[in-house]
Amino acid sequence: MATFIGLSLEGWSYIAVIASVVGSAIAFALNVRSQIRQRSIENCLRYLEYHNKLFACDGYLRSNVAAMENGTYSRNEEDADMEREFREMLSDFEKLALLHKAGGAPESINAYMLGYFAKHVCGAINNREKAEPYWDLAIDFINETKKAAEKFDNLSKVERLKYISKNHF
């Protein structure tokens, strides 16, 4: 039987098989890592897309920021345009809730990016919307985000910076 550097062809074939398996395992691990990173980037982009829609120039939140900041915010259910914008806002919160439920955006990023507004909007949701089963997801998400934001508010500056420095997506 032929040998090369003291190993038979059968020995070299075993080495080749082992090297192939190790190489395949490394390639698989790198591919999985790459896919996780890509999914994280896609979740971030999707989150920012929904966030930008939620804060569109003609949207409900942007229209009411000044009132929220100076403490005069209240929902006027008689204003048909504002009610339409409010429902569109609930729809946008619903999209963020779906992303959150799918694991695409954790509670920490929602508390940081949406918490201030969730605290104001939460009290403006009326009983009709609370009773409507099709708003359950959005309303629960707003309530959860409000609670997370209240916890965030009670953190020290060092704790807040640590909280928001995590890789969120």
Side-chain angles (χ1 to χ4, degrees):
M1 182 178 256
T3 62
F4 180 72
I5 311 180
L7 285 176
S8 67
L9 290 177
E10 184 178 358
W12 282 108
S13 68
Y14 290 145
I15 290 172
V17 168
I18 291 169
S20 296
V21 169
V22 169
S24 295
I26 291 170
F28 178 77
L30 291 173
N31 188 28
V32 167
R33 184 172 182 254
S34 175
Q35 287 180 6
I36 290 170
R37 180 168 163 66
Q38 185 61 36
R39 189 174 309 124
S40 177
I41 291 167
E42 289 170 4
N43 284 339
C44 180
L45 292 173
R46 191 174 299 118
Y47 185 89
L48 293 174
E49 176 187 339
Y50 296 154
H51 185 274
N52 287 342
K53 190 170 183 313
L54 190 61
F55 290 92
C57 291
D58 59 343
Y60 186 83
L61 290 177
R62 183 74 68 88
S63 301
N64 287 286
V65 168
M68 289 177 186
E69 288 176 349
N70 67 27
T72 61
Y73 169 73
S74 67
R75 179 177 172 188
N76 179 2
E77 294 184 46
E78 304 300 319
D79 185 338
D81 289 334
M82 288 303 271
E83 281 301 287
R84 180 187 48 75
E85 289 178 17
F86 190 85
R87 285 188 184 80
E88 286 178 17
M89 176 202 62
L90 286 178
S91 179
D92 292 335
F93 269 115
E94 191 170 50
K95 291 172 186 141
L96 288 165
L98 289 168
L99 184 60
H100 171 73
K101 296 284 185 193
E107 181 181 275
S108 57
I109 194 71
N110 292 326
Y112 178 70
M113 297 285 286
L114 304 169
Y116 175 82
F117 300 96
K119 290 189 298 183
H120 287 86
V121 169
C122 191
I125 298 169
N126 63 31
N127 290 331
R128 178 178 37 94
E129 289 153 347
K130 289 176 184 175
E132 176 66 46
Y134 297 104
W135 286 127
D136 282 347
L137 187 61
I139 292 170
D140 288 348
F141 176 74
I142 292 168
N143 287 326
E144 290 171 14
T145 302
K146 176 189 172 204
K147 289 175 188 170
E150 289 168 345
K151 288 179 192 174
F152 182 76
D153 291 345
N154 291 323
L155 297 175
S156 69
K157 183 175 182 174
V158 171
E159 292 170 323
R160 283 193 311 271
L161 291 173
K162 184 178 177 185
Y163 183 76
I164 61 176
S165 69
K166 297 181 240 170
N167 178 14
H168 293 290
F169 295 99

